[in-house]
Amino acid sequence: MRNNIVAGNWKMNNDSSETEVLLTQLKSFKKPEGVRIMVAPAFTQLAQSTALLKDDAVAVVAQNINAAASGAYTGEVSASMLKGVGVHTVILGHSERRSLFHETDAGLASKVKSTLDAGMEVIFCFGEELKERKSNTHFDVVAQQIRVALFELPVSAWKQIILAYEPVWAIGTGETASPSQAQEMHSYIRSLIASKYDQATADSVSILYGGSVKPNNAQEIFAGEDVDGGLIGGASLKAEDFMAIVNAF
Ligand code: 13P
């Protein structure tokens, strides 16, 4: 059956000394059973983070990769480089990568493939913009993002996929999707996977919600039957807030 997961996306925050402080604090908390906990520091802090968290239940995740295995790609990092520093999971398709760095669903499909081929796991992010929700096209937008990037994969690949529904209008804005909006979309996503693949595959995929999840709203959001946890931005930068969210199931 699927896992409950809480992952902290640090984005471009936390230098080495801040990373050391935050991870040392996170290590000091007792971790609940039955929740996978992850943090995603910047590339420069990954090796430091895997070393610091060596004997801890918190896993280290990267925020991006390049689809190529190696070569003339100045400034880029490959899947095998990440594996070499103890990282086995990669966030792909975050809305900031889509809007600020022009990532497309087709480009993401090849990043997903490279990550899976390297034996790693993907947290695939998608979600609609405000105008799309207002024009009631949010289901179509999300379906298209998932279809293009993921529906060429064989059913066996879905063991390595975690989904993260992040409505763009809820990211960093303090405005969350309501628990029923989140549940409605997550249930729709699961039905989409069931109709393309099969019900067992759909039921086994963890679908996270991201967008202004905080200690005071995590419990009601995670209560949704199809909501298996969260991808947390701002609130993952404070150990107490992040652990409060981890404990919200
Ligand atoms: P916030 O929790 O800061 O809204 O960010 C969500 C996010 O983008 C996680 O990837």
Side-chain angles (χ1 to χ4, degrees):
M1 216 33 206
R2 56 190 185 254
N3 297 114
N4 286 333
I5 299 171
V6 175
N9 176 8
W10 289 3
K11 308 189 180 184
M12 199 171 73
N13 293 294
N14 291 331
D15 62 16
S16 324
S17 52
E18 290 161 333
T19 295
E20 181 162 358
V21 170
L22 179 49
L23 293 184
T24 304
Q25 288 170 346
L26 282 184
K27 277 178 77 168
S28 72
F29 281 82
K30 188 168 164 0
K31 313 298 184 309
E33 294 285 315
V35 185
R36 289 182 68 192
I37 310 168
M38 307 175 182
V39 291
F43 283 136
T44 47
Q45 266 56 64
L46 290 176
Q48 175 194 11
S49 299
T50 54
L52 260 162
L53 292 170
K54 200 157 94 41
D55 301 313
D56 200 85
V58 179
V60 180
V61 170
Q63 299 177 19
N64 187 25
I65 58 148
N66 187 285
S70 63
Y73 301 99
T74 301
E76 295 292 291
V77 171
S78 71
S80 69
M81 290 169 178
L82 295 176
K83 280 173 79 176
V85 294
V87 172
H88 300 283
T89 306
V90 182
I91 297 172
L92 292 175
H94 192 278
S95 72
E96 289 148 19
R97 302 270 348 147
R98 293 172 186 265
S99 65
L100 302 173
F101 303 100
H102 315 295
E103 297 214 21
T104 61
D105 290 314
L108 288 166
S110 67
K111 288 191 172 191
V112 168
K113 188 169 180 315
S114 301
T115 307
L116 300 182
D117 286 350
M120 299 175 77
E121 182 179 50
V122 170
I123 301 177
F124 184 75
C125 307
F126 52 87
E128 82 282 0
E129 293 180 22
L130 185 58
K131 62 178 185 302
E132 294 160 338
R133 181 160 280 267
K134 286 196 162 149
S135 63
N136 209 29
T137 54
H138 46 296
F139 292 113
D140 296 341
V141 168
V142 161
Q144 180 69 3
Q145 290 171 328
I146 292 175
R147 275 192 199 111
V148 175
L150 303 177
F151 276 7
E152 297 297 319
L153 296 172
V155 67
S156 59
W158 281 80
K159 286 196 285 295
Q160 293 160 262
I161 305 271
I162 297 163
L163 299 178
Y165 169 54
E166 298 206 309
V168 178
W169 48 273
I171 295 176
T173 58
E175 185 175 351
T176 61
S178 67
S180 63
Q181 285 173 323
Q183 168 55 28
E184 182 185 36
M185 181 59 86
H186 285 220
S187 152
Y188 171 72
I189 294 160
R190 221 179 281 289
S191 68
L192 205 65
I193 299 166
S195 57
K196 167 70 186 175
Y197 294 92
D198 55 71
Q199 192 62 48
T201 303
D203 286 341
S204 68
V205 178
S206 296
I207 309 178
L208 315 184
Y209 168 80
S212 298
V213 178
K214 306 289 176 197
N216 65 3
N217 60 24
Q219 195 165 16
E220 56 177 10
I221 294 171
F222 295 173
E225 192 187 337
D226 291 292
V227 181
D228 305 309
L231 184 55
I232 319 300
S236 71
L237 302 176
K238 273 186 67 185
E240 263 177 37
D241 287 354
F242 185 61
M243 288 308 299
I245 294 169
V246 167
N247 285 302
F249 288 99

